[in-house]
Amino acid sequence: MLVDDGNDGRATPRAGAVAPRRLTHLRRLEAESIHILREAVAESENPVMLYSVGKDSSVMVHLARKAFHPSVPPFPLLHVDTTWKFRAMYEFRDWTVAELGMELLVHQNPDCLEQAINPFTHGSAVHTHMWKTEGLKQALDLHGFDVAFGGARRDEEKSRAKERIFSLRSAQHRWDPKQQRPELWRVYNVRRNQGETIRVFPLSNWTELDVWQYIYLEQIPVVPLYYAAVRPVVERDGALIMVDDERMPLEPGERPVERRVRFRTLGCYPLTGAIESEADTVQKIIQEMLLATTSERQGRVIDFEASGSMEKKKQEGYF
Amino acid sequence: MALPRDERITSDIDAYFDAHERTSLLRFITCGSVDDGKSTLIGRLLYESQQVFEDHLAALEADSRRIGTQGGDLDFALLVDGLAAEREQGITIDVAYRFFATEKRKFIVADTPGHEQYTRNMVTGASTADLAVILVDARKGVLTQTRRHSYLVSLLGIRRVVVAVNKLDLVGYSEDVFDRIESEYRAFAAGIGLTEIACIPVSALRGDNVIASSPNTPWYHGPTLLGHLELVDVEDEARDRPFRMPVQWVNRPDHDFRGYCGTIVGGTVRTGQPIQVLPSGRRSRIARITTYDGDLDEAVVGQAVTLVLEDEIDVSRGDVVCEEGRAPQVADQFEAHVIWMHEREMFPGRPYLMKVGPMTVGVTLSRPKFKVNVNTMEHLAATTLALNEIGVCSLRLNQAVPFDPYSENRDMGGFIIIDRFTNATLGAGLLNFALRRADSVQWQSVDVDKAARAVLSGHRPCAVWFTGLPGAGKSTISNLVEKQLHALGAHTYLLDGDNVRLGLNRDLGFTAVDRVENIRRVAEVTKLMVDAGLIVLVSFISPFAAERRFARELLEVGEFCEVFVDAPLEVVETRDPKGLYRKGRRGELVNLTGVDSPYEVPEHPEIRIDTVHVSASAAADMVVDQLRAMGVLS
């Protein structure tokens, strides 16, 4: 266990460490997440961890390794894929799974494959709903998972601020804000009826800053797209979109330009805006973030549509 | 007005990280009503600690113009009103968690509404808080709701309270007003055990004494609200208490390693330390404290660890590893404070589930000894607890659990109540102390038992439980069955709903609470009669699945035959042998099952009789055949 013992701030694993007077902020969050992971696993029959390849997933997987050490986390990872992620994300995903020795399940909505659903011809709303929301429901039904871990945090969006850590979903995967169970102390009600599932969010109480500080402290690998590099981008509606492969249709006269950019959030490349940045280390990212004034989800095109749109998506079964 | 940015971010980021890796965490709850400016206060804390980003701010400016209440000025309350439905109603309806940080500390705020009907939310938010901020409107002073919030905070074990006397700008920043409120509050708070109190004069709207000291209150020399929150001591008291770790998960990657995973909820543990495992009481020593980052010599309250013991003793999920010599008590009967959190009221005597730590056990609650008027703290007589009511009850568990009183350890004494059918969380509670009185009453083992009686009577004992709407035909069919059984030489007894209500259950009415107790008693009587070797025919409406299941579980497998006497409401209304439905429809009779009191249809009865198509005598034959199939009759 890493402790604040007044050593060098950047604690490293050491045998025989002595307990601190008081747990630091990050150690309290870490312990809470581990407690949540263990409780969910102990009371479920067929748990799964949703793996989106982003930094929050990296942190969640790291916490799972800690929670069950020396065992390998006793559940598979599930990637609900859209076929439109950045190439670097697929590479990182496969590398991570090989490192961890965990099982990876990849689900691609067959209806989307058949109809070649994509953000360009179908729009971001249809694309996201079909690939992600419907895809996730299909995958959960297909494997009969009763508990699914997700990396969502309460600080991401206003409607998430009221989300429970253990969030009950109906057999149709719907989220009913009025039927959520009160959550007291660290006593979590993991019981569910036939067909009902529970989404569990071990990072509920982490902020974006906490996640980055923890990545720094624990030296957790993340997709290189978070770090600034020269990449080919086009500017559309004020967003910098990276031309990640040849499927991206260019407008007449539009030409990719090489800009030094990075991503604060990762999703489908045509729907994810880059920011111009020089931050090519975790430290610089945190520094940039502390000085920046734009919130994280702004890079995600899906949140823009209407105030309250995340809440609607959640009721439909989105994460 | 906002906090100055930590200049180390630009000048010395390493120093910044060093400092931030050491910051502590303070979790607090804010209590106040819609009009106290609570959302405005939280919004301002977020805004001024620079947790509001530019795009959120743009949305806030637009929203402030559109639906704001501040005449186009920034309406901070809109920052924290989350769900679309709530926004339309202009109120927050649940518990929301907010996050902000300063150089000295990180904060998690539980934001809960203050309406009377939302005790549930406040208790939920308070359960994880280290401190409470209670808002008082300077124009109104200490109100009923201030007392209610303070009582709930103290009940949940929070000792540190900040009273933010808000809207001071509206009383001309008057020192007299502030002093009067402070002395009134302190006098009241002392009576309910709140001792660590800070009173701070603020205006959330104008920003006075929230972040920076206000020139408008030169008479006030204490810290600002944020200054106090940054510095208040939150040393974890649980650290000096005896060591406790409830086992969440047994970790067995291979045959060489067996560890017990859990979060330490009290004290400190060291390698080599002698420990005891409860409830078994077995003893051992700590061989290793294992973590992903290497073994530890010592771990403290709050840490999630994996313990390896020196001896191979049997330990499973729900057991508590604790300090030898300072072990918790183990008991199966308690007195507890219960907070009811569900629309459907508590039913004394109904079997529920209870989760305390990682342990889930069966529980029944007694009628409340009293309930508490949360506004006046008076004790009131009660037969049940409705949504948002708090009372003191006796609990009877179906197995003994290790516990500490809630006042000594929140994790060892806080529990939730779960419905056995819907799995909903119905309520929460605080264990006060163990009740010993049941120890002297134990089931007497006798030499002549059920099996011996069965040999004599020539058949096995059994309960045949007829359930259905009034007028469905339960009495008619059960009477025919008893005649047939009697003719076959079986020893029988028929328990009829009306007859039992004339005697044993004369004191019970027809409310849902009384119906539950009615069936509980009948189930217990049935159990005794089955033990006596009889075939007991029970003819009761018994509308609730939970009590029928309770009756079934009192008996052994093969001793319970549930007969659902099924008739649609339209049919029983036309039959109406006792004229009940006519009275019910005229409003002369309340709580009539099927009319204004629910009937829960059995999902898996042994027999379902469709009385529209099956005659009473054919139905009786079906029951007797079923008893043969079950081996009750040979």
Side-chain angles (χ1 to χ4, degrees), chain B residues 163-204:
Chain B
V163 181
V165 181
N166 192 24
K167 305 196 180 180
L168 215 68
D169 52 320
L170 299 182
V171 295
Y173 297 100
S174 161
E175 184 178 5
D176 283 349
V177 170
F178 176 76
D179 285 350
R180 215 166 41 237
I181 291 172
E182 173 164 14
S183 49
E184 190 187 347
Y185 187 84
R186 284 187 186 278
F188 154 74
I192 56 168
L194 292 173
T195 46
E196 295 178 45
I197 297 163
C199 292
I200 303 175
V202 301
S203 167

Side-chain angles (χ1 to χ4, degrees), chain B residues 54-359:
Chain B
E54 198 173 59
D55 52 338
H56 285 168
L57 210 53
L60 174 64
E61 281 167 9
D63 284 352
S64 295
R65 278 193 299 276
R66 198 164 54 84
I67 48 173
T69 57
Q70 298 304 322
D73 284 352
L74 285 185
D75 185 348
F76 292 115
L78 295 177
L79 269 180
V80 294
D81 285 345
L83 300 182
E86 298 166 26
R87 268 174 124 178
E88 281 154 24
Q89 294 161 20
I91 49 161
T92 49
I93 54 170
D94 208 321
V95 191
Y97 296 90
R98 317 284 172 192
F99 307 84
F100 68 98
T102 68
E103 279 179 52
K104 299 193 181 69
R105 207 167 245 179
K106 304 223 180 184
F107 299 92
I108 300 178
V109 190
D111 180 15
T112 61
H115 314 278
E116 189 156 13
Q117 62 269 42
Y118 293 122
T119 294
R120 164 175 67 183
N121 299 333
M122 234 205 84
V123 166
T124 302
S127 73
T128 51
D130 307 309
L131 175 148
V133 175
I134 296 178
L135 272 91
V136 174
D137 186 329
R139 295 169 304 173
K140 298 176 184 161
V142 176
L143 296 178
T144 297
Q145 57 144 330
T146 316
R147 297 196 176 88
R148 174 168 74 238
H149 296 155
S150 303
Y151 167 71
L152 293 175
V153 159
S154 101
L155 179 71
L156 270 285
I158 298 175
R159 282 172 194 78
R160 298 177 193 89
V161 170
V162 178
V163 181
V165 181
N166 192 24
K167 305 196 180 180
L168 215 68
D169 52 320
L170 299 182
V171 295
Y173 297 100
S174 161
E175 184 178 5
D176 283 349
V177 170
F178 176 76
D179 285 350
R180 215 166 41 237
I181 291 172
E182 173 164 14
S183 49
E184 190 187 347
Y185 187 84
R186 284 187 186 278
F188 154 74
I192 56 168
L194 292 173
T195 46
E196 295 178 45
I197 297 163
C199 292
I200 303 175
V202 301
S203 167
L205 194 62
R206 308 276 162 228
D208 299 286
N209 293 325
V210 177
I211 310 286
S213 290
S214 169
N216 297 317
T217 54
W219 41 266
Y220 174 73
H221 305 291
T224 63
L225 177 61
L226 187 64
H228 180 77
L229 295 175
E230 281 185 317
L231 293 176
V232 64
D233 182 28
V234 286
E235 198 59 54
D236 202 333
E237 291 152 356
R239 197 192 151 98
D240 299 322
R241 299 202 167 125
F243 166 65
R244 308 272 185 264
M245 193 199 82
V247 174
Q248 280 185 286
W249 195 69
V250 179
N251 197 335
R252 289 215 73 177
D254 52 52
H255 292 299
D256 299 331
F257 186 92
R258 187 182 183 90
Y260 304 105
C261 297
T263 302
I264 300 174
V265 301
T268 303
V269 63
R270 289 176 198 82
T271 49
Q273 178 178 331
I275 57 92
Q276 213 174 346
V277 178
L278 290 182
S280 72
R282 290 200 179 82
R283 286 159 207 270
S284 183
R285 283 171 189 275
I286 302 290
R288 293 171 61 190
I289 304 169
T290 300
T291 77
Y292 176 85
D293 302 300
D295 281 7
L296 305 177
D297 291 336
E298 183 184 83
V300 299
V301 64
Q303 280 182 292
V305 294
T306 300
L307 301 179
V308 179
L309 304 182
E310 284 184 1
D311 309 281
E312 286 216 1
I313 58 177
D314 188 30
V315 181
S316 46
R317 174 170 161 86
D319 289 352
V320 179
V321 184
C322 53
E323 190 172 328
E324 191 185 22
R326 293 170 82 193
Q329 300 174 57
V330 177
D332 61 359
Q333 290 190 62
F334 299 93
E335 186 199 274
H337 273 84
V338 175
I339 303 122
W340 205 251
M341 300 182 155
H342 203 265
E343 285 77 14
R344 192 147 188 203
E345 77 260 45
M346 174 188 114
F347 293 124
R350 170 174 286 191
Y352 294 117
L353 295 172
M354 163 178 172
K355 188 171 183 193
V356 50
M359 190 79 155

Side-chain angles (χ1 to χ4, degrees), chain B residues 352-387:
Chain B
Y352 294 117
L353 295 172
M354 163 178 172
K355 188 171 183 193
V356 50
M359 190 79 155
T360 303
V361 298
V363 66
T364 54
L365 294 85
S366 73
R367 279 188 188 220
K369 290 186 174 141
F370 57 83
K371 65 180 179 186
V372 180
N373 177 331
V374 293
N375 295 324
T376 61
M377 280 134 267
E378 274 177 289
H379 294 181
L380 306 172
T383 53
T384 180
L385 295 175
L387 173 64

Side-chain angles (χ1 to χ4, degrees), chain A residues 85-141:
Chain A
K85 303 291 174 189
F86 292 88
R87 281 175 300 165
M89 290 172 74
Y90 294 112
E91 284 163 24
F92 181 82
R93 179 192 75 188
D94 296 340
W95 174 83
T96 301
V97 170
E99 283 286 298
L100 296 176
M102 287 177 74
E103 183 190 359
L104 173 74
L105 305 168
V106 176
H107 181 82
Q108 298 173 340
N109 181 346
D111 303 335
C112 293
L113 285 171
E114 194 182 318
Q115 297 172 51
I117 301 288
N118 69 79
F120 302 111
T121 41
H122 300 93
S124 69
V126 169
H127 173 80
T128 304
H129 179 77
M130 292 290 291
W131 279 110
K132 291 176 77 175
T133 309
E134 292 304 317
L136 173 61
K137 291 196 258 185
Q138 286 169 354
L140 294 178
D141 290 341

Side-chain angles (χ1 to χ4, degrees), chain B residues 295-572:
Chain B
D295 281 7
L296 305 177
D297 291 336
E298 183 184 83
V300 299
V301 64
Q303 280 182 292
V305 294
T306 300
L307 301 179
V308 179
L309 304 182
E310 284 184 1
D311 309 281
E312 286 216 1
I313 58 177
D314 188 30
V315 181
S316 46
R317 174 170 161 86
D319 289 352
V320 179
V321 184
C322 53
E323 190 172 328
E324 191 185 22
R326 293 170 82 193
Q329 300 174 57
V330 177
D332 61 359
Q333 290 190 62
F334 299 93
E335 186 199 274
H337 273 84
V338 175
I339 303 122
W340 205 251
M341 300 182 155
H342 203 265
E343 285 77 14
R344 192 147 188 203
E345 77 260 45
M346 174 188 114
F347 293 124
R350 170 174 286 191
Y352 294 117
L353 295 172
M354 163 178 172
K355 188 171 183 193
V356 50
M359 190 79 155
T360 303
V361 298
V363 66
T364 54
L365 294 85
S366 73
R367 279 188 188 220
K369 290 186 174 141
F370 57 83
K371 65 180 179 186
V372 180
N373 177 331
V374 293
N375 295 324
T376 61
M377 280 134 267
E378 274 177 289
H379 294 181
L380 306 172
T383 53
T384 180
L385 295 175
L387 173 64
N388 289 312
E389 288 190 332
I390 298 175
V392 168
C393 302
S394 304
L395 269 53
R396 182 188 289 264
L397 281 54
N398 67 355
Q399 68 183 95
V401 297
F403 85 102
D404 289 308
Y406 183 83
S407 57
E408 288 173 22
N409 191 319
R410 285 196 207 186
D411 291 287
M412 293 290 293
F415 62 90
I416 60 171
I417 304 281
I418 302 170
D419 190 277
R420 292 174 53 139
F421 284 92
T422 65
N423 289 318
T425 300
L426 303 174
L430 323 169
L431 295 176
N432 295 334
F433 51 82
L435 298 169
R436 297 275 174 215
R437 53 169 187 234
D439 288 1
S440 54
V441 185
Q442 295 217 336
W443 184 260
Q444 282 295 321
S445 295
V446 285
D447 293 332
V448 179
D449 60 6
K450 251 193 301 206
R453 292 186 195 102
V455 171
L456 209 60
S457 64
H459 62 81
R460 291 180 33 217
C462 176
V464 185
W465 192 282
F466 295 84
T467 172
L469 292 171
K474 296 182 299 298
S475 297
T476 310
I477 297 169
S478 56
N479 194 36
L480 288 174
V481 171
E482 187 172 35
K483 277 204 234 170
Q484 281 201 35
L485 291 175
H486 189 75
L488 290 168
H491 296 202
T492 62
Y493 191 81
L494 199 158
L495 278 168
D496 180 80
D498 286 352
N499 295 349
V500 172
R501 278 188 173 279
L502 290 173
L504 175 66
N505 290 353
R506 194 165 44 196
D507 56 326
L508 299 177
F510 291 89
T511 62
V513 168
D514 280 356
R515 284 178 189 277
V516 169
E517 176 62 11
N518 183 40
I519 299 304
R520 189 192 70 79
R521 291 185 198 172
V522 170
E524 293 284 3
V525 169
T526 303
K527 182 187 175 182
L528 291 173
M529 288 188 166
V530 167
D531 194 61
L534 303 180
I535 297 176
V536 190
L537 307 171
V538 187
S539 174
F540 276 69
I541 300 167
S542 42
F544 302 132
E547 280 63 53
R548 296 193 299 260
R549 175 151 144 184
F550 171 71
R552 181 187 290 272
E553 289 178 0
L554 281 179
L555 300 174
E556 287 170 32
V557 175
E559 286 182 352
F560 192 86
C561 174
E562 187 172 4
V563 181
F564 175 31
V565 184
D566 192 4
L569 187 59
E570 312 85 76
V571 175
V572 295

